[in-house]
Amino acid sequence: MTDEAEIGQPLAPRRASRRIWLGKVAVGGGAPISVQSMATADTRDRERCEDQLRQLQAAGADILRVAVPDMDAARNLGALQRAITLPLVADIHFDWRLALTAISQGVQGIRLNPGNIGGAAKVREVAKAAKDRGVPIRVGVNAGSLEKRLLAKHGGRATPEAMVESAKDEIRLLEDEDFTDIKVSLKASDVSTAVRAYRLAARAFDYPLHLGITEAGTLQGGSVKSAAGLGILLAEGIGDTIRVSLAADPIEEVRVGLSLLRALGLRRGGLTFVACPTCGRCEADMIPVAERVEKRLSSLRGEVHVAVMGCEVNGPGEGKAADVGIAYGHNGVGLLFKKGEIVARLPAAELEARLVEEAEKLAK
Amino acid sequence: MTDEAEIGQPLAPRRASRRIWLGKVAVGGGAPISVQSMATADTRDRERCEDQLRQLQAAGADILRVAVPDMDAARNLGALQRAITLPLVADIHFDWRLALTAISQGVQGIRLNPGNIGGAAKVREVAKAAKDRGVPIRVGVNAGSLEKRLLAKHGGRATPEAMVESAKDEIRLLEDEDFTDIKVSLKASDVSTAVRAYRLAARAFDYPLHLGITEAGTLQGGSVKSAAGLGILLAEGIGDTIRVSLAADPIEEVRVGLSLLRALGLRRGGLTFVACPTCGRCEADMIPVAERVEKRLSSLRGEVHVAVMGCEVNGPGEGKAADVGIAYGHNGVGLLFKKGEIVARLPAAELEARLVEEAEKLAK
């Protein structure tokens, strides 16, 4: 249970973290929580990858990442960064040369664990190059790939404590090179492990935290895990940037991430959409209407609150907070309402089009 | 931020609440958190409604509800209750006679606000009938339909404080009739309002709490809101029974509810499914495989943890916690692994079928 002061606020005060910059996007230190995603296109296929990055930018992502499996991929990074106005993060494992190439190509962030690139001399060179170009490094601890030494020390299991120890070790390697332009993730596919690891990390250091439940699963199952895990942490004031990781089109990762931030009042603008679950009182086939309306209005930039309700009895009342809404009634008619006031009684078949029209007008 | 003792546990200790019984299902007092849903079929259409209730029971719901708009609907309740082994809850507004009929028909729960059925004499009669049959009553406060008097008192807005005051008023009407077999919901479509209302209620009385974000929206948007809002509350130890309210087939409400409880470690058994989000390293069309595997295994009763991973490099390691998993590799081959150990190298085309087979074996 939270203490008295926190009850009045849905979210605890945000954890104080340092601020870093990926290009023009601030992370930490009270900056708005940013939404990240990662391209699934092969980084070596420049055109496809550029296309996908542009789509993800259009969907509302704040920071984008690509895998850098080899030098052919690394050499595309400059073009990929120039294809978007958002910061591009290069995801690198094991090979320090890929990191140096990525930095010289002009990416605005690196994800790399200094512990696995081959020793202090290489870490020094990468840290120096990153520092010269103002490129932050994300240390990405993953419960599934913890060092054997740490697993052994923690009873063979990737415990939250082992994960935080791994993060501290990686951070130290960078700090030893006088590099502190760092953010940290501690991902696990299990919500409970991830939540505890981030809580411990939130107290262990003040670098900004990149939240994620890794390998969360499919669109639906993964969204539930991510929304629960990230929701719990964000409600505790923990987290500076998030990625919802899904086995789905990454556009969905962006949508779910933005929905989550909006649901928690951490992001303004765009569509707030409510729809009743329908019950025995509803005489219309309302669910497809709700799906279509949400889809058609989902790209609105202006702030608008829209409701689709299944009955006239509760509709306008329960949709009172909505700027505009519809409620299906009996015998093929229904209501259009604004802020709970009925403004028109219309044939049910016209409700959907009228609602979309009114919402678009309001969002302008 | 949570205190030191809570960091080690993903969830705070559960709030102490009274225990009530809906038929054989306990709610509150440390009972397992139950998952509810509501039929969308017209309660007057007995056959269709029976079918839907049976489907919802098969999907894993613990408690089911139907709307009772009129006496024709009320007279079907006995048959509907007998069509399932789960408790059936009758959802009633305004009309005390519907409540009396529902109780005499043998439903195992009522959802009714005593404040709107027409005065103390009627409340007395309903409370007496419910008490005689051991039928609990859920007081259901909804931010969208608060009494005008309370709205006026709270600045015209359905604040969390106004909602809790409404709940207390309703509870008092039942307590005045010596009726305490009560659970309470305080739903709002806005996550922040709902979270604050439930937190306040958790301290204001000790009746079990039925959690829900009302009119949450479509399958995807609504799942995110519900998982975040209910996840935050459950992590604080608040909540005895949940309903994920979606404008979608109610089967989805049950699935999302169960996923949420599993994600938080509040429900055991069945499938734990992880899938990586795929990245530039993945050469297979993995997302449809993940979707199909999850669907095919979702009805398993035994506990099994399954992973679908996009690359051989991280696959087995990151899927270490999985009882069984597959990882796609290069050139049309891939791996089958168990608990992180590679047990077979197979043509990629055979991986999916083999995984399902192994998982089904393990779940037995």
Side-chain angles (χ1 to χ4, degrees):
Chain A
M1 299 255 192
T2 49
D3 69 25
E4 208 66 52
E6 288 169 7
I7 277 196
Q9 292 298 325
L11 309 180
R14 283 180 64 191
R15 160 183 172 261
S17 59
R18 303 187 194 198
R19 175 170 291 188
I20 64 168
W21 292 87
L22 285 82
K24 291 176 196 147
V25 176
V27 173
I33 295 169
S34 46
V35 171
Q36 308 209 14
S37 183
M38 187 170 183
T40 52
D42 190 327
T43 315
R44 290 161 293 201
D45 183 345
R46 208 183 79 187
E47 267 181 56
R48 267 200 63 222
C49 199
E50 281 180 5
D51 271 358
Q52 193 177 35
L53 291 172
R54 285 196 199 99
Q55 285 170 29
L56 291 168
Q57 169 162 317
D62 300 300
I63 297 172
L64 292 172
R65 180 161 50 113
V66 292
V68 186
D70 59 25
M71 205 46 90
D72 286 341
R75 287 195 203 96
N76 276 341
L77 291 169
L80 295 174
Q81 175 64 82
R82 287 188 296 275
I84 51 175
T85 59
L86 304 178
L88 186 68
V89 176
D91 192 296
I92 289 161
H93 292 262
F94 313 123
D95 190 340
W96 67 303
R97 290 164 311 171
L98 297 178
L100 293 179
T101 303
I103 293 164
S104 70
Q105 285 275 323
V107 296
Q108 296 177 348
I110 297 276
R111 187 274 199 205
L112 165 144
N113 287 353
N116 70 23
I117 63 168
K122 290 168 182 173
V123 174
R124 187 163 310 139
E125 212 170 326
V126 171
K128 186 179 179 312
K131 200 169 188 177
D132 288 348
R133 302 284 286 250
V135 174
I137 295 177
R138 166 156 70 94
V139 161
V141 173
N142 194 309
S145 53
L146 270 196
E147 303 90 304
K148 290 212 168 71
R149 182 184 59 78
L150 283 175
L151 284 176
K153 185 172 161 189
H154 291 269
R157 288 168 46 244
T159 60
E161 291 76 12
M163 291 171 69
V164 172
E165 189 171 343
S166 173
K168 283 170 154 176
D169 288 350
E170 299 285 354
I171 289 169
R172 199 170 307 116
L173 292 175
L174 292 173
E175 287 177 341
D176 284 348
E177 305 306 330
D178 200 27
F179 188 90
T180 57
D181 201 8
I182 297 171
K183 66 184 151 88
V184 182
S185 62
L186 301 105
K187 299 190 183 179
S189 64
D190 163 56
V191 171
S192 146
T193 304
V195 164
R196 289 183 292 156
Y198 279 108
R199 282 179 183 161
L200 287 172
R203 314 192 145 207
F205 44 76
D206 67 354
Y207 292 110
L209 290 171
H210 164 118
L211 303 186
I213 308 295
T214 195
E215 295 118 31
T218 55
L219 178 54
Q220 189 172 339
S223 295
V224 170
K225 273 192 213 170
S226 290
L230 274 47
I232 290 169
L233 289 164
L234 291 167
E236 294 176 10
I238 296 171
D240 301 287
T241 182
I242 65 170
R243 180 196 178 190
V244 171
S245 159
L246 298 173
D249 185 327
I251 295 271
E252 303 292 350
E253 299 189 343
V254 177
R255 287 194 185 130
V256 172
L258 290 168
S259 299
L260 175 61
L261 293 184
R262 280 201 194 101
L264 297 175
L266 288 166
R267 176 75 64 126
R268 306 253 161 231
L271 176 69
T272 298
F273 184 74
V274 303
C276 83
T278 83
C279 67
R281 281 188 291 272
C282 181
E283 295 182 3
D285 187 19
M286 200 202 86
I287 291 168
V289 175
E291 291 281 352
R292 282 194 301 268
V293 168
E294 186 182 48
K295 192 162 257 177
R296 285 175 66 180
L297 299 177
S298 67
S299 58
L300 291 182
R301 298 274 161 173
E303 194 164 344
V304 63
H305 188 147
V306 173
V308 173
M309 310 296 283
C311 79
E312 288 192 355
V313 181
N314 296 322
E318 300 211 347
K320 203 158 19 190
D323 298 310
V324 62
I326 55 176
Y328 288 90
H330 297 298
N331 306 320
V333 295
L335 305 172
L336 178 78
F337 56 89
K338 292 186 175 178
K339 291 278 179 198
E341 301 295 326
I342 297 168
V343 294
R345 178 172 294 276
L346 297 167
E350 294 176 18
L351 289 171
E352 179 181 347
R354 186 68 184 277
L355 176 65
V356 169
E357 188 189 314
E358 296 283 342
E360 285 173 343
K361 236 187 279 173
L362 286 168
K364 270 185 189 145
Chain B
M1 299 252 193
T2 48
D3 69 25
E4 207 66 50
E6 286 169 8
I7 277 197
Q9 291 299 325
L11 309 179
R14 285 180 64 189
R15 158 183 175 261
S17 59
R18 303 186 194 199
R19 175 169 291 188
I20 64 169
W21 292 88
L22 285 82
K24 291 176 195 148
V25 175
V27 174
I33 294 169
S34 46
V35 171
Q36 308 209 13
S37 183
M38 185 169 185
T40 51
D42 190 327
T43 315
R44 292 162 292 201
D45 184 344
R46 207 182 81 185
E47 265 181 57
R48 264 199 67 221
C49 200
E50 281 180 4
D51 270 358
Q52 194 178 35
L53 291 172
R54 285 194 200 102
Q55 283 170 31
L56 291 168
Q57 170 163 316
D62 300 301
I63 297 171
L64 293 172
R65 180 160 51 111
V66 292
V68 186
D70 60 23
M71 204 47 90
D72 286 342
R75 288 194 202 96
N76 276 343
L77 292 169
L80 295 175
Q81 175 65 82
R82 288 188 294 276
I84 50 175
T85 58
L86 304 178
L88 185 69
V89 176
D91 191 297
I92 289 161
H93 293 263
F94 314 123
D95 189 341
W96 66 303
R97 291 165 308 171
L98 297 178
L100 293 178
T101 303
I103 293 164
S104 70
Q105 285 275 322
V107 297
Q108 297 177 348
I110 296 277
R111 187 272 199 207
L112 165 145
N113 287 352
N116 71 22
I117 63 169
K122 290 168 181 172
V123 175
R124 186 163 312 137
E125 213 171 324
V126 170
K128 188 180 178 310
K131 199 169 186 174
D132 288 347
R133 302 283 287 248
V135 174
I137 295 178
R138 166 155 70 95
V139 162
V141 173
N142 195 310
S145 53
L146 269 195
E147 303 91 304
K148 289 213 170 68
R149 183 184 57 78
L150 284 175
L151 283 177
K153 186 172 161 190
H154 292 270
R157 289 167 44 242
T159 60
E161 291 77 12
M163 292 171 70
V164 172
E165 189 171 342
S166 172
K168 283 167 149 179
D169 289 349
E170 299 284 355
I171 289 169
R172 198 170 308 114
L173 293 174
L174 292 173
E175 286 176 342
D176 284 349
E177 304 307 332
D178 200 27
F179 188 90
T180 56
D181 201 9
I182 297 171
K183 66 185 152 92
V184 183
S185 62
L186 301 106
K187 299 189 183 183
S189 65
D190 163 57
V191 171
S192 147
T193 305
V195 164
R196 288 182 292 156
Y198 279 109
R199 282 180 183 160
L200 287 171
R203 311 189 147 208
F205 43 77
D206 66 356
Y207 292 111
L209 290 171
H210 165 119
L211 303 186
I213 307 297
T214 194
E215 295 117 31
T218 55
L219 178 53
Q220 189 170 338
S223 296
V224 169
K225 272 192 214 170
S226 290
L230 274 46
I232 290 169
L233 289 164
L234 291 168
E236 293 176 10
I238 296 171
D240 300 287
T241 181
I242 65 171
R243 180 195 178 192
V244 171
S245 160
L246 298 173
D249 185 325
I251 295 271
E252 302 292 350
E253 299 188 342
V254 177
R255 287 193 186 132
V256 172
L258 290 169
S259 297
L260 176 60
L261 294 184
R262 279 201 194 103
L264 297 174
L266 289 165
R267 176 75 64 126
R268 304 255 161 229
L271 178 69
T272 298
F273 184 73
V274 304
C276 82
T278 82
C279 68
R281 281 188 291 271
C282 181
E283 297 182 3
D285 187 18
M286 199 201 86
I287 292 169
V289 175
E291 291 282 352
R292 282 195 301 267
V293 168
E294 186 182 51
K295 193 163 255 175
R296 285 175 66 179
L297 299 178
S298 67
S299 58
L300 292 182
R301 298 276 159 175
E303 194 165 346
V304 62
H305 188 147
V306 174
V308 173
M309 310 296 284
C311 79
E312 290 193 353
V313 181
N314 296 320
E318 301 210 346
K320 202 156 19 188
D323 297 312
V324 61
I326 54 176
Y328 288 90
H330 297 299
N331 307 318
V333 294
L335 306 172
L336 178 79
F337 56 88
K338 293 187 175 177
K339 291 280 180 196
E341 300 295 324
I342 298 168
V343 295
R345 177 172 294 275
L346 297 167
E350 294 177 17
L351 288 171
E352 179 181 346
R354 185 67 185 278
L355 176 65
V356 169
E357 188 188 314
E358 296 284 340
E360 285 173 341
K361 236 187 280 174
L362 285 169
K364 270 182 194 149

